Amino acid sequence: MYKGGYTPVWRGRLVLAVLALVTVLTGCGGGGGGDSSGETPAAGGGDPTNLYPLAVGNRWIWQKTNSVSGVSTKIDEITRLATVQGTEVHVLQRRDAMTGQPEYGEELRLKTDAGVFELARSTAAADLLLGLRRIELLRFPLKAGMSHVALDQTGLDLGSDLDGDGVNERYAVRAQVTVSGVETVTVPAGTFPDAVHVVTVVRETVTLSRSSPLAATPTSTTTYDDWYAPGIGLVKNSELSVYPSGQERDSLELIDYRVGDRVKPGVSATSWTVVSPTDG
């Protein structure tokens, strides 16, 4: 997901280390696991309506709203092709529109008839992706009513001793993905009919050591609503994160785009220039 607009930054309080590990599932729906149900196809086999278009030069301009940090403008762009794990992938980079500074490391995207995947760069990077070399962000075909478990892992080392007893806590993470249906979505970039609405619920639970003085088990739940428009990709994302200490809301709305030969009517994404930061 993003999430893209594919990978939001989670600011977990007590479970910060857990949240940082699972951001690869966000802004782009979920993936993996078995299809437990399905009714009418929202998109046919593979990605015929191009709900997740990948091509060098594709660019999406976002209005990002965060309940803590406020409103900002972000630019996502497919910058180049790369070969990873013997496979050609697309490289996605997000920058702040005002400063030109990259927000995350480059993200690697692979799209096949089976779905869209986030790839790890190396074995070390794969460890950060919950020990997986490849994580499925979307699975094709998308079917209205489909629901499946995207990720379910337990007994993972948190890498932190939250209660100060000298023992690292363990944690579990589970992601459930549901294709809600096909809707019409209006954002600053325009109105997009036939957008596929995907809901992903990610739940992290920390298991405290037996000697822990803490009374409660730290748990956080983040719900992502993503809308993908044919030929454009993600056009809207909203998320609600509920932590032991409170909650945070985050959203993305498309304000401009250049996807292949498709641009927003009027002022196009070709008129946006990413500012290069000056020395100092």
Side-chain angles (χ1 to χ4, degrees):
M1 347 165 133
Y2 273 147
K3 232 255 170 73
Y6 296 91
T7 311
V9 177
W10 291 353
R11 297 171 180 82
R13 280 55 171 179
L14 189 58
V15 290
L16 175 61
V18 183
L19 300 175
L21 288 174
V22 296
T23 54
V24 292
L25 291 173
T26 71
C28 297
D35 183 358
S36 61
S37 64
E39 297 174 0
T40 58
D47 188 17
T49 56
N50 216 10
L51 294 172
Y52 204 109
L54 292 176
V56 175
N58 283 0
R59 179 183 285 190
W60 300 265
I61 317 296
W62 304 99
Q63 176 178 285
K64 178 179 174 65
T65 304
N66 181 270
S67 59
V68 176
S69 59
V71 179
S72 57
T73 303
K74 310 298 179 183
I75 299 178
D76 285 342
E77 185 169 8
I78 306 296
T79 59
R80 60 189 175 89
L81 295 174
T83 300
V84 179
Q85 302 171 25
T87 303
E88 187 176 74
V89 299
H90 289 82
V91 179
L92 175 70
Q93 178 70 72
R94 171 174 290 184
R95 294 180 181 272
D96 184 274
M98 297 301 294
T99 67
Q101 293 284 0
E103 293 231 337
Y104 316 111
E106 292 181 325
E107 299 177 8
L108 306 179
R109 295 289 188 266
L110 170 67
K111 186 169 77 171
T112 71
D113 284 342
V116 181
F117 302 88
E118 168 88 9
L119 269 63
R121 287 184 171 277
S122 65
T123 301
D127 291 339
L128 295 178
L129 300 179
L130 301 175
L132 303 176
R133 300 294 306 271
R134 179 183 294 192
I135 288 183
E136 193 170 287
L137 302 179
L138 281 180
R139 187 176 58 171
F140 303 136
L142 296 175
K143 301 176 182 179
M146 180 187 77
S147 182
H148 66 278
V149 176
L151 180 66
D152 190 4
Q153 294 200 25
T154 60
L156 301 169
D157 186 353
L158 182 65
S160 297
D161 175 18
L162 299 179
D163 51 25
D165 66 353
V167 178
N168 281 357
E169 269 58 65
R170 315 298 291 185
Y171 75 96
V173 56
R174 178 183 175 90
Q176 181 85 27
V177 179
T178 301
V179 181
S180 179
V182 178
E183 304 171 7
T184 296
V185 176
T186 298
V187 292
T191 297
F192 299 90
D194 302 322
V196 179
H197 182 187
V198 180
V199 181
T200 303
V201 179
V202 181
R203 181 179 177 87
E204 303 92 27
T205 303
V206 176
T207 301
L208 300 170
S209 55
R210 291 182 179 180
S211 60
S212 173
L214 300 181
T217 299
T219 300
S220 68
T221 301
T222 302
T223 302
Y224 300 90
D225 288 87
D226 300 298
W227 287 265
Y228 298 89
I232 303 298
L234 184 73
V235 295
K236 182 178 180 180
N237 158 267
S238 66
E239 67 179 76
L240 172 63
S241 298
V242 180
Y243 309 115
S245 60
Q247 65 181 36
E248 184 174 349
R249 293 183 180 274
D250 200 282
S251 68
L252 291 167
E253 290 193 335
L254 191 66
I255 60 177
D256 201 357
Y257 60 88
R258 180 185 64 212
V259 181
D261 59 358
R262 301 184 64 170
V263 297
K264 174 187 172 183
V267 179
S268 79
T270 57
S271 65
W272 284 77
T273 300
V274 179
V275 177
S276 298
T278 59
D279 293 339

